[in-house]
Amino acid sequence: MAGNSPCASCKLLRRRCTKECIFAPYFPSNDPQKFALVHKVFGASNVSKMLQELPIEQRADAVSSLVYEAHARVRDPVYGCVGAISYLQNQVSELQMQLAVAQAEILCIQMQQEPVMPNPEMENPDQKSYLLQNELPQFLNYASSSNVIYDAVSRDNIFGHDMVS
């Protein structure tokens, strides 16, 4: 209890705030919405039990997590925090895919601009890499970085011969 003013939880629950009030350090009277939200989602009794089971040094972090989870549950009653995490994971996946496509486009452009050096280990030095001669630029030439390749590429198209003999 800070001075004579009861904490936000005691105000909401209409009870007397004592020196031993477990909520007072974490739910000050100047922020009543914080406790109201946590109380609405988890219930005062459950929050009290959780805080009593934790060491004092971990309680502030626990209250912070409870407040975040309560906000997420109000925004998305079905999934709560899991919905937010899932949304962010999907965004990361999409951005990784866009990055991979952009890197492939850059590689394609670089390969088109640079002269092909013959490989000394090749039997015929006049022969360029099969991928540079044939289909690679076609598969990497996108109108937009958000496009995805759906065309199936057969093995003989990639390696220049039929793999099944």
Side-chain angles (χ1 to χ4, degrees):
M1 182 170 125
N4 290 336
S5 178
C7 67
S9 63
C10 291
K11 272 186 182 178
L12 183 72
L13 300 173
R14 296 181 180 173
R15 64 182 187 192
R16 188 166 182 221
C17 193
T18 64
K19 283 184 172 181
E20 295 83 29
C21 179
I22 195 158
F23 298 119
Y26 313 107
F27 298 103
S29 60
N30 62 354
D31 193 4
Q33 292 300 331
K34 184 176 170 182
F35 180 76
L37 186 64
V38 171
H39 173 58
K40 179 180 178 182
V41 174
F42 298 106
S45 178
N46 290 329
V47 174
S48 175
K49 288 175 191 173
M50 283 188 253
L51 292 177
Q52 287 173 348
E53 290 178 7
L54 289 173
I56 294 173
E57 61 273 3
Q58 293 180 352
R59 290 179 183 174
D61 290 335
V63 167
S64 177
S65 293
L66 289 170
V67 170
Y68 179 81
E69 290 181 37
H71 277 287
R73 186 60 62 182
V74 167
R75 280 193 309 269
D76 186 352
V78 175
Y79 295 108
C81 289
V82 175
I85 292 167
S86 178
Y87 172 77
L88 292 173
Q89 285 177 333
N90 287 338
Q91 268 191 319
V92 167
S93 294
E94 288 177 22
L95 291 172
Q96 286 173 334
M97 184 178 66
Q98 289 176 6
L99 177 62
V101 169
Q103 288 171 334
E105 288 174 350
I106 290 170
L107 179 63
C108 181
I109 291 168
Q110 288 174 343
M111 291 172 65
Q112 289 174 349
Q113 291 177 351
E114 294 177 5
V116 178
M117 300 302 246
N119 188 345
E121 296 175 3
M122 292 176 71
E123 293 175 20
N124 183 358
D126 295 331
Q127 182 184 13
K128 293 180 182 177
S129 168
Y130 178 80
L131 291 175
L132 289 178
Q133 287 179 345
N134 294 304
E135 305 298 328
L136 182 64
Q138 166 187 324
F139 290 113
L140 296 178
N141 190 13
Y142 304 112
S144 167
S145 294
S146 63
N147 291 341
V148 179
I149 301 173
Y150 290 103
D151 297 324
V153 180
S154 63
R155 284 188 239 168
D156 60 330
N157 210 7
I158 293 175
F159 297 107
H161 61 280
D162 189 8
M163 294 295 290
V164 181
S165 296

